[in-house]
Amino acid sequence: MANFRITILPGDGIGPEIVAEGVKVLKAIEELYHHHFEIKEALIGGISLDQTGIPLPDETVASCQASDAVLLGAVGGPKWDQNPGHLRPEAGLLGIRKKLGLYANLRPATAFESLVDASTLKPEVISGVDLLVVRELTGGIYFGHKERREVNGVAEAVDTLHYNEKEIERIAHTAFRLARLRRNKVTSVDKANVMESSRLWREVVIRVAKEYPDVELEHVLVDACAMQLIRTPKHFDVIVTENLFGDILSDEAAMLTGSIGMLASASLGEGTFGLYEPVHGSAPDIAGQGIANPIATILSVAMMLKYSLGLKVEADLIELAVKSVLEKGYRTGDIASTGDEVKGTVEMGQLIIEEMKALKK
Ligand code: IPM
Ligand code: MG
């Protein structure tokens, strides 16, 4: 039995609905294993803008810093789309990642056998896919110099892509260490044929690789990687890449699992503290309808138990329950095929919890 402090940041759109299911899963773990989770809710994103005028209040950062882990839903929506950059909901998400030093974003894409038909790709391409995107999360073009200006009456905008070798080194170490726990292969993705930052990236990754002679390293240009992810996704084990490339490639990788509604993520820094969130966004088009897929959030809870709380057995139970519920044919709308009976967010959460209880016996 152990005590943990968790901050939840439901955010916008479907965020509150899916985080509610994640919290129910935490409560089920409490009951089944007699742990105690002290759960505090805080504001981020659009809802925070509405209530406080800023996307990331200091109290939210403080609550996260006083916690063992954070569960986040999603931020953003059309209501705030016209806001200036620093007053957009996304600024809250980028701010919390940066302030908490969460430079390593882990996004595993694993094909569930029972869902291979839900993918738009052929079953033989999808079946057996098991890859991990390690996205650098606190550097690159997301955090470079930004500017709007006018030159001779013509509007211009600037975003700079900046990396130093320390930032590249630490994310490379993360990738190699994780590859050792998997299939010992790292694909470093860059655009070294064009970009100077990518040439530095490649040099540093090659240098770090010397400390991991047992791990195979290859370099793939980002455009070729985008293609190969669709053609032969089984080629990949760990993909390590800079912030924006990782953002794009992880959405692509998500579709290998059938739906972006399935993809969980962990954002880690030094130590065990982490922020966990589904990769999909706030999906304002389906918010409030009770139809969002809670699985990505529930799998994010499993990652939290594994990476931040040291509760591997408990995490395995959640993953097993998700797999089993899918094998029994239960589907939310995003992963349903014609003829499937479609479950809502709460029903799907409940099915997974019942399955956890049954499997634990
Ligand atoms: C993600 C999202 C965010 C990002 C947005 C919402 C700022 O797309 O987590 O992948 O670009 O990092
Ligand atoms: Mg994204």
Side-chain angles (χ1 to χ4, degrees), residues 21-23 25-26 29 37 69-71 108 112 262 264-266 276-277 294-322 352 356:
E21 297 313 304
V23 169
V25 167
L26 279 172
I29 292 289
F37 299 113
V70 178
L71 180 66
F112 286 86
M262 303 291 298
S265 84
Y276 298 82
E277 58 177 315
I295 292 180
T297 307
I298 290 172
L299 291 175
S300 298
V301 169
M303 289 186 91
M304 172 195 287
L305 299 186
K306 189 155 66 177
Y307 289 102
S308 285
L309 311 185
L311 304 177
K312 170 102 177 45
V313 171
E314 292 81 340
D316 286 348
L317 180 72
I318 297 173
E319 282 172 10
L320 202 63
V322 167
I352 292 168
M356 283 165 58

Side-chain angles (χ1 to χ4, degrees), residues 2 21 25-27 33 58 90 93-94 106 146 148 150-151 168 196 201 205-206 228 231 260 266 281 284 289 302 344:
E21 297 313 304
V25 167
L26 279 172
K27 298 230 183 281
Y33 295 91
D58 290 343
E90 291 81 0
L93 181 57
L94 300 183
L106 280 42
K146 295 181 193 300
R148 273 295 187 110
E150 215 171 271
V151 177
I168 304 169
E196 204 51 49
W201 179 281
V205 170
I206 289 171
Q228 213 174 351
R231 196 178 56 183
I260 197 162
Q289 296 176 34

Side-chain angles (χ1 to χ4, degrees), residues 97-302:
R97 289 171 176 171
K98 188 79 174 177
K99 287 203 165 140
L100 300 175
L102 305 172
Y103 63 83
N105 183 222
L106 280 42
R107 298 186 160 185
T110 316
F112 286 86
E113 281 312 309
S114 48
L115 283 186
V116 288
D117 293 319
S119 173
T120 47
L121 301 180
K122 292 193 182 118
E124 63 266 30
V125 174
I126 298 303
S127 175
V129 165
D130 178 13
L131 62 87
L132 173 67
V133 178
V134 177
R135 168 185 174 193
E136 200 292 325
L137 202 60
T138 53
I141 203 156
Y142 273 61
F143 293 94
H145 170 70
K146 295 181 193 300
E147 193 184 332
R148 273 295 187 110
R149 62 191 177 205
E150 215 171 271
V151 177
N152 300 329
V154 180
E156 285 190 355
V158 181
D159 290 282
T160 56
L161 200 171
H162 175 282
Y163 270 113
N164 69 41
E165 56 181 341
K166 297 267 175 274
E167 291 169 313
I168 304 169
E169 251 165 36
R170 63 187 185 181
I171 192 75
H173 279 293
T174 304
F176 284 106
R177 278 198 303 264
L178 288 166
R180 277 189 170 159
L181 303 173
R182 298 171 48 93
R183 301 193 303 280
N184 291 295
K185 184 172 168 189
V186 169
T187 303
S188 174
V189 175
D190 60 37
K191 188 74 185 171
N193 54 344
V194 176
M195 285 162 41
E196 204 51 49
S197 55
S198 281
R199 287 191 275 273
L200 177 67
W201 179 281
R202 204 177 268 217
E203 274 167 43
V204 174
V205 170
I206 289 171
R207 196 165 76 208
V208 171
K210 298 210 169 79
E211 293 175 44
Y212 304 83
D214 50 319
V215 180
E216 185 194 336
L217 168 66
E218 66 171 359
H219 305 276
V220 177
L221 296 172
V222 63
D223 49 351
C225 180
M227 182 185 69
Q228 213 174 351
L229 263 177
I230 299 299
R231 196 178 56 183
T232 45
K234 273 175 263 192
H235 171 84
F236 297 103
D237 180 12
V238 174
I239 294 175
V240 63
T241 192
E242 71 94 32
N243 206 341
L244 179 61
F245 294 162
D247 177 47
I248 298 166
L249 293 178
S250 60
D251 266 30
E252 192 186 356
M255 288 318 291
L256 303 171
T257 67
S259 165
I260 197 162
M262 303 291 298
L263 214 67
S265 84
S267 301
L268 308 170
E270 307 297 343
T272 58
F273 175 83
L275 179 146
Y276 298 82
E277 58 177 315
V279 169
H280 60 71
S282 59
D285 52 322
I286 60 163
Q289 296 176 34
I291 60 171
N293 185 349
I295 292 180
T297 307
I298 290 172
L299 291 175
S300 298
V301 169

Side-chain angles (χ1 to χ4, degrees), residues 17 20-21 24 290-292 294 298 332 343-353:
E17 298 164 58
E21 297 313 304
K24 286 183 204 164
I291 60 171
I298 290 172
T332 43
K343 297 287 173 194
T345 312
V346 175
E347 282 170 300
M348 186 51 114
Q350 193 54 42
L351 283 162
I352 292 168
I353 288 165

